[in-house]
Amino acid sequence: MSQNNDIKMTFWEHVDVFRKGFVKCLIVWAVCSIAAFCFRDFLFTILFAPAQSDFILYRGLCRLAEWIGISSLCPGEFEVNFINIELASQFMVHLEVALIVGVLIAFPYLIIQLYSFVAPALYEQEKKYSISLIFWGVVLFFAGAALNYFVIFPFAFRFLSTYQVQEAVINQISLKSYISTLLVLSLLLGILFEIPIVAYFLGKLGIITADTLKHYRKHAFIALCILAAIITPTADVFTLLLVTVPLYLLFELSIIVIRRSSSNN
């Protein structure tokens, strides 16, 4: 099947279509960011929830500890003091968070606009696969970000915020440090969860095969352990495994994805 008639468009016509789509994306992003900025209390209640001792993860661990009879699993009560040392820092953090949340809210629309721009140049079979890849790419990204928010970051924050070299040294966490660590880790986990999507494209290009990934399973596990140790700021094995195991499962999923995509060729 041949490509659509949009291939006959001139270069400047393509540029004009891209410009219009880009302007639409900026407008939607701005509207979503303004909405996020206005809901300040709701937004920061969510962001600061992992810093509270009644966060869902901590409550779940306490219930598990009570059920199995191991009291040490329950984190217990803790309190962290946040400080701000720059005059405009709170406003700038609020603005930056609103812009980032605006991107997340507008993300489906941004993807639709991007797809509508490249779709005319795709064959029908390529359109079918591209829609599926976009869907799973979005799902995997938010799954990685959710894993960080609900599991990885709370463990990391609890460990680092209560760690003391001496009792005389009191931890007072800066607002910017807390927010940036949370957002950066969420972004990293979201990107790392795109491993199957990247593997699919590399498989289609013939750069890697399912047999190659199977052969380097042990090497991949070690590499993922090292990567998990780099991105997780805590030194405990439990948190390390919480990152490594999902990443390794995604590696195994990549083998299945490449094998199935090769068999469909």
Side-chain angles (χ1 to χ4, degrees), residues 148-162:
N148 176 67
Y149 177 80
F150 287 104
V151 181
I152 307 301
F153 180 77
F155 276 116
F157 176 78
R158 176 62 185 264
F159 172 79
L160 293 176
S161 64
T162 57

Side-chain angles (χ1 to χ4, degrees), residues 29-225:
W29 176 34
V31 171
C32 293
S33 297
I34 292 172
F37 189 88
C38 293
F39 287 92
R40 181 191 60 187
D41 292 340
F42 175 76
L43 182 61
F44 281 90
T45 296
I46 294 175
L47 291 176
F48 281 108
Q52 307 299 320
S53 57
D54 61 346
F55 186 59
I56 184 172
L57 174 67
Y58 307 138
R59 287 189 280 113
L61 288 174
C62 289
R63 290 177 182 175
L64 178 63
E66 184 180 351
W67 182 59
I68 64 177
I70 303 178
S71 59
S72 59
L73 282 177
C74 182
E77 298 288 332
F78 73 100
E79 183 179 354
V80 178
N81 297 315
F82 291 99
I83 61 171
N84 176 58
I85 59 175
E86 298 177 8
L87 181 61
S89 182
Q90 292 201 52
F91 175 78
M92 293 306 300
V93 167
H94 183 192
L95 182 61
E96 291 170 6
V97 169
L99 292 173
I100 294 172
V101 172
V103 172
L104 295 178
I105 298 173
F107 193 69
Y109 180 81
L110 302 180
I111 292 297
I112 291 172
Q113 283 295 317
L114 177 62
Y115 176 75
S116 64
F117 177 73
V118 301
L122 301 176
Y123 294 99
E124 290 301 323
Q125 186 177 12
E126 292 174 331
K127 288 182 181 180
K128 181 180 68 175
Y129 285 119
S130 62
I131 292 174
S132 178
L133 285 172
I134 289 172
F135 172 78
W136 286 111
V138 172
V139 170
L140 287 172
F141 178 85
F142 282 107
L147 175 66
N148 176 67
Y149 177 80
F150 287 104
V151 181
I152 307 301
F153 180 77
F155 276 116
F157 176 78
R158 176 62 185 264
F159 172 79
L160 293 176
S161 64
T162 57
Y163 184 84
Q164 291 178 288
V165 293
Q166 279 190 345
E167 292 185 0
V169 183
I170 300 174
N171 285 333
Q172 291 183 311
I173 313 301
S174 72
L175 171 66
K176 184 177 293 186
S177 173
Y178 175 87
I179 295 296
S180 62
T181 303
L182 173 58
L183 295 180
V184 168
L185 282 179
S186 297
L187 178 62
L188 285 176
L189 264 295
I191 293 173
L192 288 174
F193 265 55
E194 300 295 326
I195 290 175
I197 306 298
V198 175
Y200 172 83
F201 283 110
L202 293 178
K204 282 293 186 181
L205 294 173
I207 298 176
I208 60 175
T209 63
D211 291 335
T212 302
L213 294 184
K214 289 172 63 178
H215 178 73
Y216 288 101
R217 267 193 177 118
K218 296 180 180 178
H219 302 79
F221 182 77
I222 295 174
L224 291 174
C225 286

